[in-house]
Amino acid sequence: MTATPVSTPQETVRRGSGPRPRRRVSLEPYLYLLPHAALFFVFTVYPIGYGLYIAMHRWDLLSGRQPFVGLEFFRNLFIAGTPQADFFWRTLWNTTFFTLISVPLLVAAALGLALLLHRPIFGRAFFRAVFFMPGILTVSVMGILWRWMFDNQIGLVNAARELTGAPPIPWLSTEGLAWIPIIVGTIWWTLGFNMTLYLAALGNISQSFYEAAELDGATAGQQFRFITWPLLTPITLFVVITTALASFQLFGQSLVITNGGPNRSTQSVIQYITEEGFSNSQISSAAAMGFVFGLLMLVLTAAQFRLMARDVQSSGEEK
Amino acid sequence: MSTPTNQAARPSAARRRRMPREVPRFVLLCILALLFLAPMYWMISTSFKNEADAISSPVQWWPARPTLENYREVLTSPDGNILRWTWNSAYVALTFTALHVLLCALTAYPLARMRFPGRNAWFWFILSSLMIPGIVTLVPTYIMMLNFGWMNSYHALIWPGISGVFGVFLLRQFFMSIPRELEEAAHLDGASSLQILWRIILPLSVPALVTLGVFAFMGSWNNFLWPLFTVTDVDKMTLPVGITTFSQRYVTDYGKLMASTTLAAIPALIAYLVAQRFLEGGLSASGLKE
């Protein structure tokens, strides 16, 4: 969409400045592109079309017959009463709920941590490492660990409650409460990534703004409100979108911690799609759901893409 | 790494006097750090407890009778082989990373440094695939694996993600920042484009290549959903999937569970300590360049 503005300034400058010999169109660049392009077609372009084909046929892995059914599987998702429509929208709401709760927490807490760690402090590198480290654990390790932290009987959280004489809470088997281990675990797990992005952004703010503000007698709160926060807007936008995208991909945390329960109340839409496709062998139905969910995600992805495209453009124009 | 750890554990009185304004911030950070470390400490501490002590009430913060029994049983369990899963993960992740970085470099090079018809069109075409959410291709790729006969094979874990486009984007941006004069001098000396790539572009791009490599490795190493469904053969499982199936068998034996998660966490922790600089640096570099 913005291909011309990116390349034109560069090319004109180059053409004008250098007495470079004009080369014939050679095959060379295309040979470099070939290996990646071949795999890109097989594993990215083709599956998109193949997925549509699957969604419009009734795929039966056992009989091997695949009669054409058109948009039936898409339509099923919009007819109330079919189990597919029921579970798809319910698990989509679960995932949305998780996103709505976790994103503000993950952004605000990350910014808070970054502000605490931005200015030099004793043991800074150590604190950075501590907050970042959980993120390197694989989701199943994180999940098993937090499942146990919130274990109904003997988890550490209930043990801590016991010290105050409070009765244990069956976190994992109570609808609503089962989200708490998932959300707390996810925050513990991913906060460090966002914190690191914020720390980098804070490091890029010129110190002179603060010096000037200090001369004018601005308080720390005013400095944050009128300098730091406005200058962080681009990165905040980026963090919000990437975190929301990641939250909508919820799968491993709820699978390992609660296995989607109790009563599917924490099942994510991706877990449901995989259940429908791989456990129930409703391949075509799962493919259709993948498209519908993918389409919803496209809006978010497009926002992220715009941020990246602006980045490409600016770095292209620098030269 | 280790020096600040020790210092943070015992802040000297002299230091505290020197920066009194920092004290509340420091105390707050210490509390938060304790909260963040507690689960990991709990995991490790439990892994050294016997079955009764693991679930004793009140909880044992420090194992009363420390034992290596859990580790011995987990490592010799007939239900799964953690070392084998670790090896599978390492093999898949290393192969994936090497191939992915190579493919991205070969593609980014002409896109950044050559002029040819269709260059921008191709760049924007592949870049636009970043907009397609992964869930769209999940089911069709699964069926393709069935058709290829790649279920329960490393191929299924390595190939489908190999032509990712983010790496091409990252390397292209980096390659474009390399001064053209270097390339032109080599060109006048009669160097071929492959020699220019190998001798000039790649050596100058080590930070970008390492960043991409770390991300590719982490992505592959931590991949969970895809291997969960394409590999059901216990010997072919990767670590994240293997550990999960293991935990489903020993659902209440927390000593063994925590021993296995501790073992699963060790490679990642070591890798983090080695690659820390690149990890955090790469993360901020891949975000926004303000």
Side-chain angles (χ1 to χ4, degrees), chain A residues 153-274:
Chain A
Q153 271 84 46
I154 45 157
L156 194 60
V157 177
N158 278 335
R161 285 175 56 82
E162 210 179 308
L163 289 180
T164 65
I169 294 176
W171 302 97
L172 299 179
S173 52
T174 310
E175 274 188 48
L177 289 185
W179 277 113
I180 292 178
I182 296 171
I183 288 167
V184 172
T186 303
I187 289 172
W188 178 78
W189 188 43
T190 56
L191 194 59
F193 281 92
N194 288 352
M195 175 198 75
T196 305
L197 291 174
Y198 266 127
L199 277 173
L202 284 169
N204 284 336
I205 298 179
S206 164
Q207 223 36 51
S208 57
F209 289 121
Y210 297 104
E211 282 157 17
E214 219 141 277
L215 285 179
D216 291 345
T219 65
Q222 286 169 327
Q223 286 181 22
F224 176 78
R225 196 175 146 205
F226 295 110
I227 301 172
T228 315
W229 180 247
L231 287 174
L232 286 180
T233 307
I235 186 81
T236 299
L237 211 60
F238 183 81
V239 171
V240 168
I241 291 172
T242 51
T243 310
L245 266 172
S247 296
F248 270 112
Q249 306 305 312
L250 172 69
F251 175 75
Q253 298 102 298
S254 60
L255 181 87
V256 179
I257 296 177
T258 60
N259 197 15
N263 191 23
R264 282 188 205 265
S265 64
T266 59
Q267 191 175 40
S268 64
V269 65
I270 291 188
Q271 192 188 343
Y272 176 60
I273 292 173
T274 58

Side-chain angles (χ1 to χ4, degrees), chain B residues 96-97 100-105 164-171 205-219 278 282:
Chain B
F96 175 85
T97 304
H100 181 62
V101 172
L102 179 73
L103 273 176
C104 288
V165 168
F166 179 73
V168 174
F169 169 76
L170 190 81
L171 293 186
S205 308
V206 170
L209 296 170
V210 171
T211 300
L212 176 60
V214 167
F215 273 101
F217 186 87
M218 292 276 294
F278 297 114

